[in-house]
Amino acid sequence: MSPLLSVQNLCKDYQVRQGLFRKPSTVRAVDGVSFDLNRGELVGLVGESGSGKTTVGRAILRLVEPTSGTVTFDGTDVIKARGASLRELRQKMQIIFQDPFGSLDPRRTVGAQIEVAFRIHRLHSSEERRRRADKLLDRVGLPRSAFERYPHEFSGGQRQRIGIARALALEPKLIVADEAVSALDVSVQAQIINLLLDLRDELDLTLLFISHDLGLVEYICDRVLVMYRGSIVESGPAQDIYCNPQHAYTRALLGAIPIPDPARKRQVLI
């Protein structure tokens, strides 16, 4: 069976000006990234801040334009898609952002922000949009009364549930979760992770889970991709990477995982 998503030699460059009179220089944020996602799979993309993992996720969705490489989703070339073809692709690929408050419009009600996807893609009547929005709120564990309320009235975990509901509105096949729990308290992180796992099983979703926490990724993901300076330096089943890391950078990430015992120290093999 062919993969749902195939990324080959993906690169993204940025022009950076270091001074008023200096010519801009080129910084390569993503350098030749290649991987596949199979249907129903949950794959973790890990690395420290600045490693390029968020840029990879956004380039896959065409939120930033790749410099080179190919992205194929369900047999369609994402990079070459234009107009109606790109609009159709964006119904099937969605993102959950890191900041649960910054990703929501504070001036619009929760219901309006969930319904906006239906309006953009000209789907359903107003009554059906409301019915589907209520169903989405139920699915992510929020009361239907949230429909008429504003983002500032909710906690961080509840706001992230709103973001998840919005991402699910168009019944996508792929969701990119970009540091979806890093801004939340530990107890709330567990709730959101369990929600994502339940939704994956219920809706047969494919997830690319972007995180800097290798311990969390090892717990929930089928496979792990480790990024360092714009490239994938190691990949494989989560258990294999956690128990027998091959790259020095992977071992350093594992060594940074806190151990809930002050008497123990984790050995880091560089």
Side-chain angles (χ1 to χ4, degrees), residues 237-256:
Q239 283 291 339
D240 290 354
I241 287 186
Y242 190 83
C243 297
N244 186 29
Q246 299 298 307
H247 196 276
Y249 179 68
T250 309
R251 293 195 289 269
L253 284 179
L254 285 169

Side-chain angles (χ1 to χ4, degrees), residues 212-216 218 242 252-260 266:
H212 62 274
D213 187 342
L214 192 55
L216 174 61
E218 186 271 338
Y242 190 83
L253 284 179
L254 285 169
I257 300 173
I259 299 176
R266 187 184 297 275

Side-chain angles (χ1 to χ4, degrees), residues 66-99:
T67 302
S68 62
T70 61
V71 178
T72 305
F73 177 82
D74 206 12
T76 302
D77 190 326
V78 177
I79 307 301
K80 294 182 179 179
R82 297 290 185 275
S85 177
L86 182 58
R87 180 186 292 268
E88 183 179 353
L89 278 172
R90 284 183 166 155
Q91 292 186 49
K92 301 174 182 178
M93 301 188 296
Q94 291 292 314
I95 186 170
I96 303 169
F97 293 99
Q98 176 178 359
D99 183 355

